[in-house]
Amino acid sequence: MNKFLIATAIALIGLVNPALADITLTDAKGRTVSLPKPAERVVLGFYYEDYLAVAGPGAIDKVVALSLSTWKDWRPNQFAAYEKALPGLAAIPDVGNTEDNTFSIEKVIAAKPDLLILAAWSYDALGESIKQIEAAGIPVVTLDYNAQTVEKHVASTIALGKAMGAEDRAEKLAAGYQRAMADIERRIEQAGPTQKKVYVELAQKGPAETGNSYGDSMWGALVDRLGGRNIAKGQVGNWGPLNPEYVLAQRPDLIFLAGSEWVNKPQSVQVGFGADPAVTEARIAAYLTRPGWSDLPAVQNGGVHAIYHGGARTISDYVYAQYIAKQLYPDAFKDVDPAKNLEDFYRAWLPIEAKGVFVLPYKGVGQ
């Protein structure tokens, strides 16, 4: 066989079976990453639900190691629900995480993955250590849903889909997100600007200690995109606590207490999988006993809400954008049901159901 025929045969093989051809993608940090084929042995550093939604059925069978505590400890009830649905999850080895400096490059390499998936912030935290992983022949793909921009959400989803050979699912998820956010923007434009001030607090430590608020990322970036006047903007960067006197002086019209499923946090606002609405209400009520809070417009006018902190920075977080927007522009979003939309998303894309409390307007129970 001459050289021309050999080259033609190779090209035809690539056309007939794209999985044998190189995959080139651009990740969330704008890095060009090449894979010889869709990943089959993955070390998963973060964005667990996004990975499962994009990669689809059998996705967990491809995970050979993961960062455990940032899932199991941060979202214990969510993790427990997935343990029931995905029996193999409990046996997956832990490689540690960058949040508490336990991330082990040695464990990553020992797992012999053909792909390491990292949040952009984890990639940054590892710094020069990334070179050791790449020197071992392990491609690294970064995702960034924390930025809370449509562009980063779409880029992350498309990159993940290409890496996992799940382009169709990724494109449908990305398109769905774009449609939902475009609909939100259309409704806001029709409603006209709002002057409502918004305060978001991570309600983890109880009312005696001020939790983080969000300036340029996560909830802060989302509020800003929705046209609300985020009182943390310009006061903190990504996140940090605001001075209680400053919060009182700003007189927010809306307060969102970002709660979760934290364990050993007896005064936290419990929100998420398996949460009891009565407990959520009672925990919110405790926050409203803070000095001066009873006089805030948000408290006096029914503008206090619990919202699931685990819901931010995901491909499904458009439902939380809908919920916040609905409080900013009630008439424009009166036909939108964010809680139902979240249930529909889980039913369509994930192996568990969204059972619990994910958004909740405070009604005064427990005062």
Side-chain angles (χ1 to χ4, degrees):
M1 186 179 290
N2 63 35
K3 292 181 179 180
F4 174 77
L5 290 176
I6 292 172
T8 302
I10 291 172
L12 287 173
I13 289 171
L15 289 172
V16 172
N17 188 356
L20 296 178
D22 283 350
I23 297 169
T24 300
L25 60 89
T26 302
D27 73 1
K29 291 185 71 67
R31 300 165 57 251
T32 299
V33 181
S34 294
L35 304 173
K37 61 180 181 178
E40 296 177 350
R41 295 180 59 83
V42 175
V43 172
L44 182 59
F46 201 57
Y47 301 128
Y48 312 101
E49 288 194 293
D50 304 293
Y51 168 79
L52 293 172
V54 171
I60 202 66
D61 298 329
K62 298 177 182 178
V63 179
V64 294
L66 52 68
S67 292
L68 182 61
S69 67
T70 43
W71 193 1
K72 187 175 183 178
D73 295 346
W74 288 11
R75 313 280 179 258
N77 294 348
Q78 182 193 98
F79 183 83
Y82 280 106
E83 272 192 308
K84 290 181 180 178
L86 305 170
L89 178 59
I92 298 175
D94 178 24
V95 296
N97 68 86
T98 59
E99 282 291 282
D100 59 10
N101 297 314
T102 60
F103 190 87
S104 171
I105 292 170
E106 292 77 13
K107 289 181 179 179
V108 171
I109 295 172
K112 298 180 180 178
D114 53 18
L115 178 65
L116 169 60
I117 297 172
L118 289 176
W121 47 266
S122 287
Y123 180 92
D124 292 341
L126 288 172
E128 292 296 307
S129 299
I130 286 291
K131 293 180 180 179
Q132 297 179 47
I133 296 169
E134 293 176 330
I138 302 168
V140 180
V141 168
T142 66
L143 310 178
D144 187 356
Y145 293 95
N146 280 56
Q148 293 296 160
T149 67
V150 173
E151 296 75 18
K152 290 287 188 182
H153 272 50
V154 169
S156 298
T157 304
I158 296 301
L160 185 52
K162 285 187 175 181
M164 299 307 302
E167 292 93 338
D168 287 348
R169 288 178 69 91
E171 288 171 6
K172 288 176 183 176
L173 281 160
Y177 189 82
Q178 288 175 304
R179 282 195 303 271
M181 295 303 289
D183 178 68
I184 291 170
E185 291 178 3
R186 177 185 60 80
R187 290 170 184 265
I188 290 174
E189 185 176 353
Q190 291 177 351
T194 180
Q195 297 301 313
K196 290 182 180 179
K197 294 182 178 180
V198 180
Y199 174 52
V200 182
E201 181 178 338
L202 186 66
Q204 184 183 58
K205 301 177 181 178
E209 187 172 347
T210 304
N212 285 340
S213 194
Y214 301 87
D216 300 326
S217 68
M218 293 183 62
W219 298 117
L222 192 55
V223 170
D224 191 48
R225 185 179 190 91
L226 298 173
R229 297 177 62 190
N230 173 26
I231 68 169
K233 189 175 180 65
Q235 300 296 310
V236 297
N238 287 331
W239 53 74
L242 296 178
N243 185 302
E245 295 299 324
Y246 172 79
V247 174
L248 294 178
Q250 287 295 301
R251 297 183 57 76
D253 301 287
L254 292 168
I255 295 174
F256 294 95
L257 295 174
S260 193
E261 310 153 11
W262 299 296
V263 294
N264 302 319
K265 302 286 185 183
Q267 298 183 73
S268 65
V269 174
Q270 291 292 298
V271 186
F273 290 84
D276 180 346
V279 173
T280 306
E281 287 263 357
R283 300 287 177 83
I284 294 173
Y287 273 78
L288 305 192
T289 64
R290 283 173 164 173
W293 273 44
S294 61
D295 296 326
L296 294 177
V299 178
Q300 293 186 342
N301 301 324
V304 179
H305 303 262
I307 196 164
Y308 184 41
H309 191 56
R313 58 190 170 183
T314 71
I315 194 63
S316 63
D317 62 33
Y318 63 87
V319 303
Y320 300 97
Q322 290 172 339
Y323 187 79
I324 294 172
K326 189 166 185 170
Q327 315 317 313
L328 289 166
Y329 316 92
D331 291 339
F333 288 84
K334 58 186 177 183
D335 62 327
V336 178
D337 187 344
K340 181 182 181 300
N341 292 342
L342 183 66
E343 291 175 1
D344 291 345
F345 178 90
Y346 272 79
R347 195 172 294 114
W349 297 106
L350 290 165
I352 66 171
E353 294 183 23
K355 292 184 177 180
V357 176
F358 301 94
V359 290
L360 185 73
Y362 179 68
K363 298 296 186 182
V365 177
Q367 281 189 311

